[in-house]
Amino acid sequence: MDAAVRELSYAQAIQEAMAIAMDMDERVFLMGEDIGVYGGAFQVTGDLVERYGADRVIDTPISELGGAGVAVGAAVTGMRPIFEFQFSDFATLGMEQIVNQAAKMRFMLGGEVSVPLVMRFPAGSGTGAAAQHSQSLEAWLGHVPGLKVIQPATPHDAKGMLLAAVADPDPVMIFEHKLLYKMKGHVPEGHYTVPIGKAEIRREGRDLTIVATSIMVQKALDAAAALEGEGIDIEVVDLRTIRPIDRQTVIDSVKKTSRLLCVYEAVKTLGIGAEVSAMVAESEAFDYLDAPIVRLGGAETPIPYNPDLEKATVPQVPGIIAAARDLVKGVR
Amino acid sequence: MTGARKAVIDSRANLPFVYRQYSPEQLRQVLHKMYLIRRFEEGAEECYTRGLIHGTMHLSIGQEASAMGICMPLAEDDQITSTHRGHGHCIAKGAEVSRMFAEFFGKTTGYCKGRGGSMHIADVAKGNLGANGIVAGGIPIAVGAALSSKMMKTGKVVVSFFGDGANNEGAFHEALNMAAVWKLPVIFVCENNGYGMSTSTARSTAVKNIAERAAAYSMPGVIVNGNIFSEVAEASFKAVERARAGEGPTLIESKTYRHRGHSKSDRNRYRTKEEIEDWMANRDPITLFENELRDFGFIDDKGIEAIRDAVAREIADGIEFAKASPAPEIATLENYVYTEHA
Ligand SMILES: Cc1ncc(C[n+]2csc(CCOP(=O)(O)OP(=O)(O)O)c2C)c(N)n1
Ligand SMILES: [Mg+2]
């Protein structure tokens, strides 16, 4: 097969990254619920247990707090765990170890230790799994100094950022939107990394900057394509990392387009959109703005079960198109 | 009634617990409800396969005697907390299948007005405080409900259903300890079906029997065959008596088996076909109970047929009700997040 066009799904890309990480470094191992013979709830670990054995692909009991803590303890003493939460919602059970321990241990001990830990969180709505299996909690962790928080939006980045995370000496939290797992895209063979802390311009444009995260990147691109015919030229910035955030790429883009729309799935208020907006408002880009900054985020509700309500809870392409058009046409 | 059958009933003293404790009519009702649970789940599964229901679901097919046995001695206002595998608990506690179907179809007439779906099925009016998407999430809530019962002197007993997988969550251990220290009227029911998703108890749990955990919290730990209705009901009856008498909690381990996969996406790679077939063919709880009822002369084939027919009608009517019910308006998206002010 032509290496340049090799396509993998997002889930396969993550699996390949974990295999490469385990091949390269025997300290790397996987922990999580049903990641062995079951292959993971979303088949991300797949058959890795057959290839690497149950000692390196460890099924934990249903013990998120303890499991997360064991991963922290192993990381701080020389191993390189990759810990899978079965759903990102269960981060709430592991929060103590993530927030109080993993994030702060190096700091509290005056730099005497590092916590080279990777945690993976299948996140987001759209599967009909209702309020406790559909949340987007990345901003919670993004609020914690000591953690790095990433949201790869493509198979290519999923692999490259996971490999960057494994190489990182500090705890990296990876939020993977469940609806992206089946998304196919070009993924190079072998080892490569995509830097943490660097946004990517997915599409260049003059009229409006859309800063999007995770699954909203593709939706923003779809909206931009639809508006092309109306002569509206949109730039789409894939934030990729929410901590540490790439201020410069966003600010430079807004200086160019003079308009900003933030699109993300998590609940709108007190979220990543507020941070991006404030970042721009505090910067020299403020003087370039021709319109108010607009945020499109999740409704102020838990995710409902009913499929139509569920869809209405988070930004969809038509809503992004309408908001972008209004912004550019000066309706708002 | 034939002379032989009368003789059997007259010698009820030698029969298992439920045949001494409950009337023949009550026991036929139990069989009816076990069928209702089974057919409800089969109906839901079929609707899911046909794309009428979205999301996922966790079926308790094979565990009906456990749900029914535990709920048998409960009063209508006693309460339960349930699990992701909670359809049986819901029906056993008195829910109507029509409103359960409506919930699965995401309709406003559903028990959660279409917001919860299978994983959050509840019937608060009948004392079911809800299924739960979080493993072990309902256990401390049951303890809280039992604390209310004690503080408000309502006399209510609370049952917390959970699976074997839940016994490794911190919430389980913290909850059992508080319940024991405060002598609360709560019954912890571990439905041990051998696996938490793909992980067998042997691989996940340090003790052989989960009932052994009770010793650490100074409460009785009882093991029952969860596929034998009478055994489960008897253990529950005793635990309810103890709770009502103010003597504190009990942990019941009900050993059972789920015939279906964990959820709709399970490929059953962690267990053998033979194992599944053995449980289905030889230890099906409905078959076991039905045979017992027939052997003891509590029902005949015609009576069984009548129950099956009635259940089939209830299921068909329930699905029709769900289909005909209205879907929620998008404008109501943010309803029920907070308490409405009149
Ligand atoms: C806190 C938490 N961790 C993991 C899950 C995912 N999950 C749902 S059910 C389940 C298995 C539960 O096993 P068990 O308690 O034995 O109940 P069963 O499914 O066998 O009825 C898992 C891992 C969850 N819902 N909540
Ligand atoms: Mg189980």
Side-chain angles (χ1 to χ4, degrees):
Chain A
M1 204 196 314
D2 181 355
V5 297
R6 189 184 72 132
E7 290 212 331
L8 291 184
S9 74
Y10 189 98
Q12 288 167 330
I14 295 167
Q15 185 183 120
E16 186 169 278
M18 293 192 291
I20 291 171
M22 285 197 282
D23 287 338
M24 287 176 56
D25 185 344
E26 63 189 18
R27 297 170 304 171
V28 175
F29 70 100
L30 315 182
M31 274 178 82
E33 290 163 14
D34 307 288
I35 65 169
V37 61
Y38 197 93
F42 300 97
Q43 297 302 312
V44 176
T45 44
D47 67 354
L48 288 178
V49 70
E50 279 151 45
R51 289 151 62 193
Y52 295 91
D55 291 342
R56 290 182 84 187
V57 182
I58 302 175
D59 272 336
T60 69
I62 309 175
S63 306
E64 290 80 8
L65 174 58
V70 169
V72 173
V76 95
T77 50
M79 298 298 286
R80 296 255 168 180
I82 303 177
F83 187 91
E84 173 179 302
F85 280 88
Q86 198 164 83
F87 284 75
S88 70
D89 309 71
F90 312 152
T92 55
L93 285 86
M95 219 49 157
E96 194 285 305
Q97 286 293 329
I98 301 170
V99 174
N100 294 320
Q101 314 297 341
K104 299 174 175 55
M105 204 155 168
R106 176 172 175 79
F107 174 80
M108 294 186 299
L109 304 191
E112 290 296 317
V113 296
S114 294
V115 187
L117 165 68
V118 176
M119 286 181 159
R120 299 182 33 247
F121 302 89
S125 68
T127 64
Q132 295 174 335
H133 285 72
S134 305
Q135 299 170 86
S136 299
L137 300 177
E138 58 276 0
W140 285 27
L141 297 185
H143 200 65
V144 181
L147 301 180
K148 298 182 180 178
V149 183
I150 64 178
Q151 291 183 277
T154 65
H156 173 276
D157 284 4
K159 177 177 171 183
M161 294 187 91
L162 191 139
L163 285 168
V166 173
D168 199 291
D170 293 317
V172 180
M173 311 286 118
I174 310 181
F175 283 80
E176 304 161 357
H177 200 293
K178 285 166 287 193
L179 295 186
L180 291 177
Y181 281 136
K182 294 209 163 90
M183 175 200 213
K184 290 221 163 196
H186 168 54
V187 176
E189 314 239 13
H191 183 271
Y192 66 92
T193 59
V194 171
I196 293 167
K198 188 86 196 69
E200 173 85 350
I201 296 174
R202 294 281 170 206
R203 176 193 163 108
E204 302 212 13
R206 288 172 286 109
D207 299 329
L208 165 70
T209 297
I210 298 182
V211 174
T213 56
S214 188
I215 194 166
M216 291 300 157
V217 172
Q218 189 54 48
K219 291 189 181 177
L221 288 169
D222 292 347
L227 286 169
E228 220 171 53
E230 297 180 26
I232 296 174
D233 188 18
I234 295 176
E235 178 144 310
V236 176
V237 178
D238 174 359
L239 205 52
R240 297 204 291 202
T241 300
I242 66 169
R243 171 178 284 274
I245 203 160
D246 180 357
R247 298 176 72 249
Q248 206 54 52
T249 300
V250 174
I251 288 166
D252 289 346
S253 175
V254 174
K255 279 163 74 176
K256 182 170 80 172
T257 65
S258 303
R259 294 182 186 87
L260 173 61
L261 173 63
C262 304
V263 187
Y264 50 107
E265 174 164 327
V267 173
K268 179 177 162 183
T269 54
L270 295 161
I272 188 66
E275 183 56 38
V276 171
S277 306
M279 209 167 74
V280 167
E282 285 173 343
S283 78
E284 73 268 21
F286 180 74
D287 290 330
Y288 292 75
L289 285 174
D290 285 342
I293 297 168
V294 173
R295 291 175 292 161
L296 284 184
E300 305 296 319
T301 173
I303 302 291
Y305 163 72
N306 174 284
D308 295 325
L309 291 184
E310 182 182 23
K311 271 190 213 91
T313 304
V314 303
Q316 304 293 349
V317 174
I320 301 172
I321 291 174
R325 186 192 287 128
D326 286 356
L327 255 176
V328 174
K329 298 236 162 106
V331 177
R332 32 209 318 177
Chain B
M1 189 180 288
T2 67
R5 197 168 355 137
K6 186 164 185 313
V8 172
I9 294 176
D10 286 346
S11 62
R12 277 215 253 173
N14 298 323
L15 297 185
F17 171 79
V18 292
Y19 302 95
R20 290 177 268 125
Q21 186 66 29
Y22 300 107
S23 72
E25 181 48 33
Q26 280 176 303
L27 294 174
R28 286 190 289 268
Q29 276 300 320
V30 169
L31 184 65
H32 179 111
K33 276 210 181 182
M34 279 195 199
Y35 268 114
L36 195 61
I37 297 170
R38 176 73 55 97
R39 299 286 181 257
F40 172 82
E41 294 201 304
E42 288 170 349
E45 186 176 40
E46 196 194 321
C47 291
Y48 177 89
T49 307
R50 290 168 53 200
L52 300 171
I53 294 175
H54 84 144
T56 189
M57 59 178 69
H58 307 85
L59 301 173
S60 69
I61 292 175
Q63 305 187 180
E64 295 88 348
S66 184
M68 284 304 303
I70 293 295
C71 290
M72 193 67 194
L74 296 183
E76 180 155 323
D77 67 347
D78 286 335
Q79 294 168 317
I80 67 168
T81 64
S82 171
T83 70
H84 58 284
R85 204 172 302 289
H87 310 153
H89 309 146
C90 198
I91 293 172
K93 194 67 182 67
E96 289 165 29
V97 292
S98 55
R99 293 192 60 197
M100 291 175 70
F101 275 124
E103 186 57 36
F104 289 24
F105 278 72
K107 301 298 183 69
T108 55
T109 51
Y111 276 112
C112 314
K113 302 191 178 66
R115 271 65 177 181
S118 158
M119 215 163 14
H120 304 293
I121 196 72
D123 181 2
V124 177
K126 287 278 165 65
N128 180 356
L129 299 174
N132 212 307
I134 301 300
V135 169
I139 307 177
I141 294 173
V143 174
L147 180 64
S148 283
S149 169
K150 188 175 180 184
M151 294 179 85
M152 296 163 75
K153 300 190 172 49
T154 58
K156 288 183 196 177
V157 167
V158 187
V159 167
S160 178
F161 286 102
F162 52 91
D164 46 285
N167 101 95
N168 295 313
E169 288 282 14
F172 165 87
H173 295 271
E174 297 179 23
L176 263 70
N177 184 56
M178 281 184 278
V181 169
W182 298 332
K183 281 201 175 339
L184 297 178
V186 57
I187 302 165
F188 300 103
V189 178
C190 179
E191 297 188 309
N192 182 352
N193 56 15
Y195 301 89
M197 216 158 145
S198 67
T199 309
S200 66
T201 51
R203 292 205 298 131
S204 69
T205 302
V207 289
K208 186 153 178 292
N209 301 298
I210 287 154
E212 293 167 34
R213 301 279 203 210
Y217 304 105
S218 296
M219 67 178 77
V222 186
I223 299 174
V224 295
N225 181 332
N227 285 15
I228 298 183
F229 170 69
S230 186
E231 268 200 39
V232 182
E234 184 170 12
S236 181
F237 187 88
K238 286 186 187 145
V240 169
E241 279 196 321
R242 176 179 149 83
R244 285 217 211 281
E247 289 162 20
T250 301
L251 171 60
I252 298 174
E253 177 178 4
S254 174
K255 294 205 191 261
T256 181
Y257 197 78
R258 61 168 156 74
H259 294 178
R260 295 295 197 270
H262 166 73
S263 68
K264 298 314 297 176
S265 50
D266 185 348
R267 293 174 295 168
N268 280 315
R269 289 207 299 199
Y270 50 87
R271 54 182 189 174
T272 62
K273 239 175 124 176
E274 291 71 40
E275 179 183 296
I276 301 170
E277 277 163 8
D278 174 44
W279 279 88
M280 288 176 69
N282 303 317
R283 280 174 277 182
D284 181 88
I286 299 182
T287 308
L288 292 178
F289 184 54
E290 186 174 282
N291 288 345
E292 236 177 42
L293 279 178
R294 199 197 284 107
D295 291 350
F296 296 157
F298 284 71
I299 201 165
D300 56 18
D301 286 344
K302 241 178 81 193
I304 293 169
E305 217 37 60
I307 285 176
R308 289 183 187 160
D309 290 347
V311 166
R313 278 194 302 278
E314 257 179 276
I315 297 302
D317 290 350
I319 292 174
E320 279 319 303
F321 171 82
K323 283 183 179 163
S325 290
E329 305 278 343
I330 299 294
T332 65
L333 182 61
E334 292 179 6
N335 285 13
Y336 313 119
V337 181
Y338 297 100
T339 305
E340 296 77 18
H341 296 281

